[in-house]
Amino acid sequence: MAVPTPTAETRWRCTLCGNLTRFDVTRSSKVVEYVHLDLAGAPNVEEREVLSESIETVRCRWCNAVDEVELVDRPGAEV
């Protein structure tokens, strides 16, 4: 099941309990990072480019429902 991605005008809402604010999101991403190592060898990511990203699952923190989210309008967003 494809998980909808929120936009500037929409947000997630759990269809089972109505939660609007707490979700565990599992996502896959493919990135290119510019890593700068200091002289001791400690890494620091200085640039990050996301090549692709997809949401695999969304779990509601309130009721533990998995992939039971819908998109609803954000308050004050112009539709």
Side-chain angles (χ1 to χ4, degrees):
M1 174 178 161
V3 180
T5 303
T7 65
E9 294 82 27
T10 61
R11 64 181 179 175
W12 283 328
R13 178 184 175 277
C14 178
T15 59
L16 297 181
C17 72
N19 170 30
L20 293 166
T21 60
R22 303 287 191 264
F23 300 95
D24 288 318
V25 179
T26 303
R27 67 180 77 225
S28 293
S29 58
K30 184 176 183 178
V31 298
V32 174
E33 295 178 333
Y34 169 60
V35 180
H36 182 184
L37 303 173
D38 65 16
L39 293 176
N44 181 36
V45 177
E46 293 189 357
E47 294 175 14
R48 184 173 193 258
E49 178 186 358
V50 178
L51 301 177
S52 65
E53 186 171 61
S54 64
I55 297 174
E56 294 178 8
T57 62
V58 178
R59 183 176 61 85
C60 176
R61 271 286 176 117
W62 289 3
C63 71
N64 264 347
V66 177
D67 294 337
E68 292 293 331
V69 296
E70 64 180 353
L71 290 179
V72 295
D73 292 336
R74 287 183 193 258
E78 294 182 21
V79 181

